[in-house]
Amino acid sequence: MSEFATSAAPRDVVRRQYLASAAGDLEALRATLAPDVEWTEMAGFPLAGTYRTPDGVTSHVMERLGKAWDGWTAHDDTYVVDGENVVVLARYTAANKATGKPIDVRVAHHFVVRGGLIVRFEQFVDTALVRDAMSD
């Protein structure tokens, strides 16, 4: 195994989460999450709410995104790390399955990583752009 694959450094843990998500590897994604993780999707976002446990996060967020969107991807562009806090500037791209409308929207994610696992996540996104793609 490479050093990156086992690194507990907050940036590396978060990067592994993005790579697993992009690959659709929910098992690898769950492996980056603490058993008591708190994952918050922003108010106004279609999946708004706070989800707990690795299985809760993947079933209520990633699996639902996959059902509603073609090619849902979070592209992680810039990392800002301060101790256990990792802020990622990114963008979402996808096409809504019901409307066919695409999105390409900027987003910021705040992660807290402790002991090599993500313990908290909070999303910041222009929810109106996502909702517009979901309506005719």
Side-chain angles (χ1 to χ4, degrees), residues 21-50:
S21 179
D25 186 344
L26 298 184
E27 183 177 334
L29 193 151
R30 284 189 289 270
T32 67
L33 304 176
D36 59 347
V37 65
E38 289 187 4
W39 186 281
T40 301
E41 298 286 313
M42 189 170 174
F45 190 71
L47 306 175
T50 298

Side-chain angles (χ1 to χ4, degrees), residues 9-30:
R11 184 195 190 286
D12 293 343
V13 173
V14 170
R15 178 69 177 136
R16 283 197 305 271
Q17 180 274 149
Y18 280 103
L19 292 171
S21 179
D25 186 344
L26 298 184
E27 183 177 334
L29 193 151
R30 284 189 289 270

